């Protein structure tokens, strides 16, 4: 689906987005919320409270839970000895202090990960004991750096244990949202992720339809394999893209986020956008319960283009980013997915001004409200507290 290219004013957007769940004039009764199940959208802590602490650490997950997250989200990669750990990337240089550890200097190498050439240190070359000597670091230079190196890389089992312990402590169910990360990469190394994930959920008593678990992947084959091997939890097909053409608002595609890597390996040249067509959604429904699209498939952005044909640095900060763009009219993806019986959990919502279209006026709550009104069933966020505050305000406004 090509994102809509027509920018509209904030007032018009609000009117366009007042769906069936809006309050009736004069304070009349309100209809059900526009989510698939009529319930408030879930707040999923993307890699934990990653806006505040180094991501995918026990400390980040605990902070997100304390802030009120419904689910905590984690990416699973494998160690050399076959243990599932929570890292967004196999390349440990991105989110740990491995580069500063002289004892591991000789393990630095350049390899291909999902078709992308990367240089660094890779989880599959380290035992769990070695990885647990590393310290996690922030992956965003504009976020707090004072915690770098203080927290360790947890195992998936430790995160399961934390979620269960926090559920007992708080009296509310804390769900988990694991992703099989780079599953073809690890399968080719003889370190497949899927069977271990299923076994761990089974041991936790969480391999059931009603368990507080969503299992996600960018690769359909990983989800289909797990379903065939007895995974009973809700599953989510993730849908990515590389960027936005600010001239048109259209999605752009580039390695490694152009398509599921298993498609590339099989010679299938289609991009992720085929998944958001009615036919693509119908196919996803045969093996998954929902989709996790990059939010730009739902509301894109479009910049101001100068006489030279290039995007204009509208706020004159020396950088071209979302703050120099405006949001475009929403696509029909949420409605199309709901029609297909799929829930929609878009990613990733963040607070930084450089990541907010200018018409949100620097307030991330304005972006959440747009998506909540469209009927998304959950949001992946780096800032749990902001997502919850916006949800609370919206639900109250809906008379719920």
């Amino acid at each position: 689906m090509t994102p809509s290219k027509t920018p509209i004013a904030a007032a018009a957007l609000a009117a366009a987005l007042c769906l069936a769940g809006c309050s009736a004039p004069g304070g009349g009764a309100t209809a059900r919320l526009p989510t698939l199940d009529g319930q408030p959208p879930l707040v999923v802590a993307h890699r934990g409270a990653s806006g505040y602490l180094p991501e995918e650490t026990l400390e980040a997950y605990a902070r997100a839970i304390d802030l009120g997250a419904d689910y905590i989200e984690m990416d699973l990669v494998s160690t050399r000895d076959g243990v599932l750990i929570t890292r967004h990337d196999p390349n440990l240089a991105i989110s740990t202090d491995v580069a500063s550890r002289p004892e591991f200097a000789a393990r630095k190498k350049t390899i291909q990960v999902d078709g992308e050439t990367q240089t660094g240190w890779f989880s599959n070359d380290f035992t769990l004991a070695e990885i647990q000597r590393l310290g996690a670091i922030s992956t965003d230079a504009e976020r707090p750096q004072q915690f770098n190196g203080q927290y360790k890389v947890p195992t998936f089992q430790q995160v399961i244990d934390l979620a269960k312990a926090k559920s007992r402590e708080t009296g509310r169910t804390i769900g988990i949202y694991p992703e099989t990360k780079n599953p073809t990469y690890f399968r080719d190394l003889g370190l497949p992720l899927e069977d271990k994930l299923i076994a761990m959920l089974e041991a936790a008593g969480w391999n059931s339809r009603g368990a507080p678990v969503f299992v996600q992947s960018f690769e359909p084959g990983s989800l289909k394999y797990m379903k065939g091997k007895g995974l009973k939890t809700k599953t989510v097909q993730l849908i990515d893209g590389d960027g936005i053409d600010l001239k048109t608002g259209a999605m752009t595609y580039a390695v490694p986020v152009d398509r599921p890597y298993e498609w590339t390996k099989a010679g299938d040249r289609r991009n992720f956008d085929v998944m958001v067509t009615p036919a693509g959604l119908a196919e996803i429904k045969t093996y998954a319960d929902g989709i996790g699209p990059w939010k730009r498939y739902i509301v894109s952005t479009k910049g101001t283009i100068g006489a030279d044909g290039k995007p204009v640095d509208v706020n004159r900060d020396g950088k071209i980013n979302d703050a120099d763009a405006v949001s475009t009219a929403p696509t029909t993806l949420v409605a199309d997915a709901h029609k297909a019986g799929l829930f929609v959990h878009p990613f990733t919502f963040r607070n930084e001004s450089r990541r907010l279209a200018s018409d949100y006026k620097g307030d991330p709550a304005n972006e959440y409200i747009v998506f909540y009104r469209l009927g998304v069933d959950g949001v992946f966020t780096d800032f749990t507290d902001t997502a919850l505050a916006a949800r609370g305000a919206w639900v109250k406004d809906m008379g719920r």
Side-chain angles (χ1 to χ4, degrees):
M1 176 182 297
T2 301
S4 175
K5 302 176 182 180
T6 306
I8 57 179
L13 180 59
L17 298 182
C18 192
L19 305 177
C22 289
S23 300
T30 59
R32 70 198 299 269
L33 296 178
T35 51
L36 185 62
D37 63 2
Q39 298 302 307
L42 298 173
V43 171
V44 181
H46 180 244
R47 311 182 203 172
S50 51
Y52 302 114
L53 295 173
E55 64 188 42
E56 310 218 45
T57 58
L58 292 178
E59 291 79 6
Y61 290 126
R63 174 72 67 84
I65 292 168
D66 291 344
L67 290 172
D70 299 310
Y71 280 76
I72 51 174
E73 188 263 355
M74 66 284 313
D75 306 278
L76 302 180
V77 301
S78 181
T79 65
R80 187 173 71 194
D81 44 351
V83 179
L84 299 185
I85 59 172
T86 61
R87 288 292 89 187
H88 182 262
D89 306 276
N91 191 344
L92 299 172
I94 296 171
S95 62
T96 78
D97 59 5
V98 66
S100 66
R101 303 291 182 126
E103 68 268 33
F104 298 130
R107 297 193 201 178
K108 185 178 184 181
K109 63 184 183 182
T110 300
I111 63 170
Q112 290 269 313
V113 178
D114 288 4
E116 179 184 43
T117 300
Q118 295 186 17
T119 298
W121 292 259
F122 298 87
S123 67
N124 47 280
D125 292 328
F126 290 73
T127 66
L128 174 63
E130 290 171 330
I131 285 176
Q132 291 189 323
R133 288 157 55 187
L134 306 176
I137 62 173
S138 173
T139 59
D140 187 327
E142 294 188 25
R143 291 181 176 175
Q145 303 294 304
Q146 66 266 33
F147 306 105
N148 286 352
Q150 293 185 24
Y151 308 137
K152 300 302 181 184
V153 175
T155 64
F156 180 41
Q157 186 61 56
Q158 287 177 302
V159 178
I160 291 174
D161 293 343
L162 174 69
K164 285 180 171 286
K166 282 290 192 177
S167 295
R168 291 190 297 269
E169 175 187 319
T170 62
R172 59 188 180 88
T173 301
I174 311 301
I176 62 169
Y177 210 126
E179 177 187 344
T180 55
K181 195 71 180 181
N182 307 103
T184 293
Y185 169 81
F186 283 106
R187 189 176 305 112
D188 289 347
L189 290 170
L191 294 167
L193 309 172
E194 291 86 357
D195 289 305
K196 294 185 180 74
L197 171 55
I198 296 170
M200 294 175 74
L201 293 177
E202 192 72 51
W206 277 352
N207 187 25
S208 67
R209 184 71 181 174
V213 179
F214 293 95
V215 175
Q216 56 177 332
S217 186
F218 283 106
E219 296 197 13
S222 184
L223 296 174
K224 293 175 183 179
Y225 174 86
M226 288 185 285
K227 184 175 182 179
K229 295 288 282 190
L231 180 68
K232 300 180 180 67
T233 67
K234 296 176 288 292
T235 55
V236 182
Q237 174 64 57
L238 299 172
I239 305 173
D240 215 343
D242 180 65
I244 296 299
D245 181 347
L246 290 179
K247 294 181 181 180
T248 65
M251 192 77 61
T252 61
Y253 297 92
V255 174
V257 290
D258 48 353
R259 63 182 66 91
Y261 185 62
E262 63 187 2
W263 289 8
T264 298
K265 193 175 178 184
D268 187 337
R269 309 308 297 174
R270 295 176 300 161
N271 290 330
F272 274 114
D273 57 346
V274 299
M275 291 185 176
V276 301
T277 64
L281 294 168
E283 165 62 20
I284 290 170
K285 182 60 179 174
T286 66
Y287 64 86
D289 302 288
I291 59 171
W294 184 27
K295 63 186 179 182
R296 296 299 176 229
Y297 281 101
I298 298 171
V299 178
S300 190
T301 56
K302 187 175 179 181
T304 298
I305 307 303
D308 59 359
K310 297 179 181 180
V312 175
D313 178 12
V314 175
N315 63 6
R316 300 181 181 179
D317 65 353
K319 302 173 183 177
I320 301 292
N321 50 40
D322 284 341
D324 301 302
V326 295
S327 61
T328 62
T331 69
T332 60
L333 178 56
V334 176
D336 292 344
H338 285 178
K339 184 177 180 180
L342 297 164
F343 57 75
V344 184
H345 295 169
F347 65 87
T348 300
F349 290 79
R350 299 176 166 113
N351 283 10
E352 289 89 1
S353 60
R354 72 182 191 276
R355 291 166 161 154
L356 296 171
S358 61
D359 44 313
Y360 296 138
K361 308 300 181 184
D363 185 351
N366 291 330
E367 182 179 39
Y368 286 108
I369 296 298
V370 166
F371 282 80
Y372 291 155
R373 285 174 172 165
L374 281 169
V376 298
D377 304 280
V379 292
F380 287 83
T381 178
D382 288 358
F383 298 87
T384 295
D385 47 350
T386 307
L388 285 169
R391 183 181 72 179
W394 174 67
V395 169
K396 182 179 180 180
D397 185 58
M398 298 287 284
R400 293 289 292 260

